Amino acid sequence: MALVAAMFIAGQAQAQISINAGYAPETISTTTTLPIIGSSTTSESYQGFFIGATYNAPLAKGLGIAVGPELRLNTRNQDNVKSTQILLDVPILLNYEIAINRDLSITPFIGPMISFALAGNTKYNNHTDDWYENNNYSRFNLNGVGGASLGYQKFDLFLGYRLGLLDLYKSDNINIKTQGFFIGLGYAL
């Protein structure tokens, strides 16, 4: 609450809202550990796309904090097995704008991103498995995010990487984590 109030007071006059869309593939890695056998890791690659809005409030000259919801869709289709996941992401990114000239800037950013899965399922052989039906698979994830954007007038081309920090499965023998890069385009209103 204090962070939101500080953002509002610190930069209400110069705050900037932008609309963003992009490509965000994700890798979901599952590590299974069994007594005597040991551990093995498998990874599944998902195509991902997102759209969202960002509110960037200045904290000091060049320094800002960007917050905003994004809706992300992850899909995977392999060997007649189709998996789909829909997530609501809320990045909270500290950023520092470095002006090259009046129209061009580079802005590195870093911070956490809260993710909440709205839905997830796998379809195969006329059957659908809901990922979250039995409550073993967590809907909540916390990611570490870092990257940079290249701004030209009202447009921003940004890219970065996100790393899931939480184990998404409620079992001592199974550990599920996420990671992936993203690239997108933003337009400031």
Side-chain angles (χ1 to χ4, degrees), residues 115-176:
S115 293
F116 183 78
L118 302 173
N121 62 58
T122 300
K123 296 179 182 179
Y124 56 94
N125 297 334
N126 297 321
H127 179 74
T128 301
D129 282 337
D130 184 333
W131 294 6
Y132 307 105
E133 185 176 311
N134 62 16
N135 293 328
N136 285 331
Y137 204 119
S138 177
R139 290 179 182 268
F140 179 77
N141 197 4
L142 180 64
N143 297 273
V145 176
S149 72
L150 177 65
Y152 179 73
Q153 295 180 353
K154 290 187 170 262
F155 292 94
D156 270 319
L157 176 65
F158 55 90
L159 61 102
Y161 188 80
R162 69 189 181 284
L163 179 65
L165 303 174
L166 302 179
D167 177 7
L168 300 178
Y169 203 76
K170 296 177 186 175
S171 170
D172 292 337
N173 298 336
I174 299 172
N175 183 308
I176 297 177

Side-chain angles (χ1 to χ4, degrees), residues 81-97:
V81 176
K82 183 174 181 177
S83 296
T84 304
Q85 184 184 35
I86 300 171
L87 302 112
L88 176 64
D89 297 329
V90 181
I92 305 167
L93 304 175
L94 192 61
N95 57 78
Y96 186 76
E97 182 179 26

Side-chain angles (χ1 to χ4, degrees), residues 5-158:
M7 286 171 30
F8 183 76
I9 292 167
Q12 183 178 6
Q14 298 172 354
Q16 187 175 36
I17 295 175
S18 64
I19 304 298
N20 311 303
Y23 177 62
E26 185 162 67
T27 300
I28 299 176
S29 298
T30 304
T31 301
T32 305
T33 305
L34 298 172
I36 301 173
I37 297 172
S39 64
S40 65
T41 301
T42 59
S43 296
E44 294 181 341
S45 296
Y46 287 76
Q47 298 299 316
F49 302 92
F50 68 90
I51 187 166
T54 302
Y55 177 83
N56 191 31
L59 299 175
K61 184 172 172 54
L63 185 65
I65 188 160
V67 179
E70 295 178 349
L71 191 61
R72 182 164 39 111
L73 172 67
N74 287 337
T75 62
R76 181 172 193 263
N77 194 353
Q78 186 174 5
D79 301 328
N80 295 321
V81 176
K82 183 174 181 177
S83 296
T84 304
Q85 184 184 35
I86 300 171
L87 302 112
L88 176 64
D89 297 329
V90 181
I92 305 167
L93 304 175
L94 192 61
N95 57 78
Y96 186 76
E97 182 179 26
I98 303 163
I100 307 298
N101 61 35
R102 190 177 73 177
D103 293 327
L104 191 64
S105 65
I106 295 174
T107 306
F109 54 84
I110 190 167
M113 180 175 78
I114 300 164
S115 293
F116 183 78
L118 302 173
N121 62 58
T122 300
K123 296 179 182 179
Y124 56 94
N125 297 334
N126 297 321
H127 179 74
T128 301
D129 282 337
D130 184 333
W131 294 6
Y132 307 105
E133 185 176 311
N134 62 16
N135 293 328
N136 285 331
Y137 204 119
S138 177
R139 290 179 182 268
F140 179 77
N141 197 4
L142 180 64
N143 297 273
V145 176
S149 72
L150 177 65
Y152 179 73
Q153 295 180 353
K154 290 187 170 262
F155 292 94
D156 270 319
L157 176 65
F158 55 90

